[in-house]
Amino acid sequence: MKVESNISAPTKFIQVGKESYAYRRFGTGSGLPLLFLQHFTGTLDNWDPAVTDPLAAGREVILFESAGVGRSSGEVPKTIVGMAKHALTFLDGLDLKSCDVLGFSLGGMVAQKMALERPSIFRRIILVGTAPRGGEDIMHLEKPSLAKHLNDPKLQGYAVLQKIFFAPTASSQAAGEAFIGRLLQRKDDREPVSGPEVAIAQIAAFRERERVTGERFTYLKSVRQPTLVVNGIHDEMISVSNSYRLAENLPNAVLLVYPDSGHGSLFQFHESFTRQVGSFLAANSASATY
Amino acid sequence: MKVESNISAPTKFIQVGKESYAYRRFGTGSGLPLLFLQHFTGTLDNWDPAVTDPLAAGREVILFESAGVGRSSGEVPKTIVGMAKHALTFLDGLDLKSCDVLGFSLGGMVAQKMALERPSIFRRIILVGTAPRGGEDIMHLEKPSLAKHLNDPKLQGYAVLQKIFFAPTASSQAAGEAFIGRLLQRKDDREPVSGPEVAIAQIAAFRERERVTGERFTYLKSVRQPTLVVNGIHDEMISVSNSYRLAENLPNAVLLVYPDSGHGSLFQFHESFTRQVGSFLAANSASATY
């Protein structure tokens, strides 16, 4: 049997309306398809095969590249609303009426907006290292703990990710090094790396996200799906307090927080993460508990 | 095969030094024994068989009754330190050099102190609905959300527990009713219910616990065991913020928070809780992740 993996899965393209979206779709099993929504500046190549592949053993996984990122056409929206619209258009293009979703960081914000816009689109929701509207300490790349790495000329490409996605401990940094190694396993059919225009638009979306509109966090009461909220306890990019607020205000969310880890806790603890997510997705009750 | 259960397990007594401690010990399997440390005013009869029994299928469980509670002799200590001393004396009496521990509420504070006093005593630690030293919103029975139930003459005995251990939703209250039903399944060999002298001494221990000594939460860095911190998101008795502080300051703790539940989340979601705890205890790595 062919092992399906993000190391080798071909990049596909689908034209919907005026855009051509890049995506990868692989895996098999009885589970509902699982949509992956990506982080700040990330492309399809930023999905760790140690996370995608075990989950693809029980269902199809669909990695989506939003407009203006990688080989997807169009402009990067400057709002979460705009990104959610692209993702829904993409799912319509695939004629997918319902799926599960794993939104990481920026992708978790897009997932929340999609669930509000079209509640029937998701059965179960996984939100990792992300924040509600009106959250705090969301992607402030200018703060010293992040800026010192982002402005370090010795750190190029993935080496920066190792620093900012993982905690400053030997164990977390070693996990970061292993993560980078896994991302580099894919040799062919890779996406172009995001340039500054992607970063600038997405940062604008983060800034807009921090603004409170109406009563803080109240909109989360409308997200009724069973939800699993996951974070690393020492996340410098999007503070874990945002995951606390998600769990406190979503009506049906389990919160799982990992020790000794930062924004990339799902990659650091990929064995535990894929096991927990697998159990969460396998559950078919109305409750998020598993 | 006889099913071992807290519904039927005989209460045992062990004399160590000048005290006679009541306890129950049942279950079998390859796991290390699991010590249960009880909540405010709780006796051996307050352990939900839906929590103890599934865990007793993989190991011995040991339910401990501290000095001055139920049929244990002696005075109730007014400090966590004093309670931890009794629990260590009890384990010495059983000649148990190492075990796992599940400390709920007050019991979780005692477990922390025991781990500091004698690090070798615990392999893995489960802390449910509890708080660190210097935590906030710990067992303020005078606050309106609790006092309205505690002072309600219509609520007698276990009916109060249903109100204060469970969230004010139909689903959580129904789980509370089921919990009370399970506690009443044990007909014989029951413990005397705690009187006001137990409550007064234990409340003194809570008040002492809120005081900050030295740098806040720093002592938790010394608790090196893999730890699982569990809470209900709407815990009115010991606010979930205390579980956040535990996870942020313990070096090796996974945090698991349940939706739609209060102090008694472990009883409300007993199936999920015993499954998660079973997986956590089955892990043998240095990491708390499972």
Side-chain angles (χ1 to χ4, degrees):
Chain A
M1 198 185 80
K2 186 172 153 234
V3 175
E4 305 223 51
S5 170
N6 195 33
I7 299 171
S8 52
T11 305
K12 298 176 182 180
F13 299 89
I14 186 170
Q15 182 82 29
V16 198
K18 65 187 173 81
E19 306 297 358
S20 167
Y21 299 108
Y23 70 105
R24 294 183 194 142
R25 183 172 186 167
F26 57 97
T28 184
S30 58
L32 214 56
L34 177 61
L35 176 70
F36 281 64
L37 298 174
Q38 190 56 293
H39 66 78
F40 175 64
T41 71
T43 71
L44 300 174
D45 298 334
N46 286 90
W47 283 117
D48 185 348
V51 166
T52 56
D53 300 359
L55 291 169
R59 64 195 56 74
E60 281 189 311
V61 300
I62 300 172
L63 317 185
F64 171 61
E65 196 137 81
S66 190
V69 180
R71 283 180 279 176
S72 287
S73 70
E75 280 192 18
V76 181
K78 291 188 174 60
T79 62
I80 304 296
V81 172
M83 296 175 197
K85 201 171 171 185
H86 279 296
L88 286 170
T89 301
F90 166 73
L91 292 179
D92 287 340
L94 293 181
D95 199 27
L96 213 58
K97 306 285 185 235
S98 178
C99 62
D100 295 324
V101 65
L102 191 166
F104 174 39
S105 189
L106 176 64
M109 301 173 194
V110 176
Q112 290 169 61
K113 187 65 194 168
M114 292 169 73
L116 290 171
E117 283 293 308
R118 199 188 297 176
S120 63
I121 194 69
F122 297 138
R123 183 194 64 124
R124 294 194 153 229
I125 297 174
I126 302 144
L127 300 176
V128 187
T130 191
R133 167 171 285 283
E136 56 179 14
D137 194 5
I138 299 173
M139 293 293 288
H140 283 278
L141 303 183
E142 73 283 5
K143 68 181 189 179
S145 58
L146 296 174
K148 70 177 172 186
H149 301 304
L150 291 161
N151 300 331
D152 184 344
K154 292 193 300 297
L155 296 175
Q156 298 291 330
Y158 282 167
V160 183
L161 269 194
Q162 181 180 330
K163 293 294 181 188
I164 64 179
F165 269 30
F166 295 84
T169 62
S171 44
S172 190
Q173 284 298 308
E177 197 177 337
F179 163 68
I180 300 305
R182 291 192 299 270
L183 293 189
L184 292 170
Q185 283 180 282
R186 185 182 179 97
K187 302 294 181 194
D188 304 315
D189 185 33
R190 290 183 66 96
E191 297 299 292
V193 171
S194 295
E197 72 291 352
V198 176
I200 288 164
Q202 292 183 342
I203 286 286
F206 287 127
R207 290 294 74 76
E208 195 277 334
R209 184 79 176 167
E210 280 180 323
R211 284 210 291 275
V212 181
T213 53
E215 201 184 337
R216 202 173 211 170
F217 308 136
T218 303
Y219 79 93
L220 289 168
K221 302 286 177 218
S222 305
V223 180
R224 310 291 309 175
Q225 284 91 344
T227 302
L228 176 61
V229 177
V230 182
N231 218 135
I233 195 83
H234 303 301
D235 190 335
E236 285 289 331
M237 305 196 74
I238 298 184
S239 158
V240 68
S241 66
N242 292 293
S243 286
Y244 300 159
R245 300 298 94 77
L246 285 169
E248 289 162 4
N249 292 282
L250 284 164
N252 194 11
V254 167
L255 173 65
L256 179 69
V257 182
Y258 284 115
D260 183 42
S261 54
H263 203 52
S265 68
L266 72 171
F267 308 129
Q268 180 166 346
F269 298 113
H270 53 87
E271 286 182 19
S272 169
F273 178 78
T274 54
R275 194 183 311 123
Q276 296 276 350
V277 166
S279 299
F280 172 73
L281 292 179
N284 228 337
S285 79
S287 170
T289 63
Y290 61 96
Chain B
M1 197 184 80
K2 185 172 152 235
V3 176
E4 305 222 52
S5 170
N6 195 34
I7 299 170
S8 52
T11 306
K12 299 176 182 180
F13 299 89
I14 186 170
Q15 183 82 30
V16 198
K18 65 187 173 77
E19 306 299 358
S20 167
Y21 298 108
Y23 70 105
R24 295 184 194 141
R25 184 173 186 166
F26 57 97
T28 182
S30 58
L32 215 56
L34 177 62
L35 176 70
F36 281 63
L37 298 174
Q38 189 57 293
H39 66 77
F40 174 64
T41 70
T43 70
L44 300 175
D45 298 334
N46 285 90
W47 283 119
D48 185 349
V51 165
T52 56
D53 299 0
L55 291 169
R59 63 196 56 75
E60 282 189 311
V61 300
I62 301 172
L63 317 185
F64 172 59
E65 195 136 83
S66 190
V69 180
R71 284 181 277 176
S72 287
S73 71
E75 281 191 17
V76 182
K78 291 188 175 59
T79 62
I80 304 296
V81 172
M83 297 174 196
K85 201 171 171 185
H86 279 296
L88 286 169
T89 301
F90 166 72
L91 292 179
D92 287 341
L94 294 182
D95 200 27
L96 212 57
K97 307 284 186 235
S98 178
C99 62
D100 295 324
V101 66
L102 191 166
F104 174 40
S105 190
L106 176 63
M109 302 173 194
V110 176
Q112 291 171 58
K113 188 65 194 168
M114 292 169 74
L116 290 170
E117 284 293 307
R118 199 189 295 177
S120 63
I121 194 69
F122 298 137
R123 183 194 65 123
R124 293 193 154 230
I125 297 174
I126 302 146
L127 300 176
V128 187
T130 192
R133 166 171 286 282
E136 56 180 14
D137 194 5
I138 299 173
M139 293 294 289
H140 283 279
L141 303 183
E142 73 283 5
K143 68 181 188 181
S145 59
L146 296 174
K148 70 176 171 186
H149 301 304
L150 290 161
N151 300 332
D152 183 344
K154 293 192 301 295
L155 297 175
Q156 298 290 330
Y158 283 166
V160 184
L161 269 194
Q162 181 181 329
K163 293 294 181 189
I164 63 178
F165 269 29
F166 295 84
T169 62
S171 44
S172 190
Q173 285 298 307
E177 197 178 336
F179 163 69
I180 300 305
R182 292 193 298 270
L183 293 188
L184 291 169
Q185 284 180 282
R186 186 181 180 98
K187 303 293 181 194
D188 305 314
D189 186 33
R190 289 183 66 96
E191 298 298 293
V193 172
S194 296
E197 72 291 351
V198 175
I200 290 165
Q202 291 183 342
I203 286 286
F206 287 127
R207 290 293 76 76
E208 195 276 334
R209 183 77 176 169
E210 281 180 322
R211 284 211 290 275
V212 181
T213 53
E215 201 184 337
R216 202 171 210 170
F217 308 135
T218 303
Y219 79 92
L220 289 168
K221 303 285 178 219
S222 305
V223 180
R224 310 292 307 176
Q225 283 92 343
T227 302
L228 176 61
V229 177
V230 181
N231 218 137
I233 196 83
H234 303 301
D235 190 335
E236 285 290 331
M237 305 195 73
I238 298 183
S239 158
V240 67
S241 65
N242 292 292
S243 286
Y244 300 158
R245 300 298 93 77
L246 285 169
E248 289 163 3
N249 292 282
L250 284 163
N252 193 10
V254 167
L255 172 65
L256 178 69
V257 181
Y258 284 116
D260 182 43
S261 55
H263 203 51
S265 68
L266 72 172
F267 308 130
Q268 180 166 345
F269 298 113
H270 53 87
E271 285 181 20
S272 169
F273 179 78
T274 54
R275 194 182 311 124
Q276 295 276 350
V277 166
S279 298
F280 172 72
L281 292 178
N284 229 336
S285 78
S287 170
T289 64
Y290 61 97

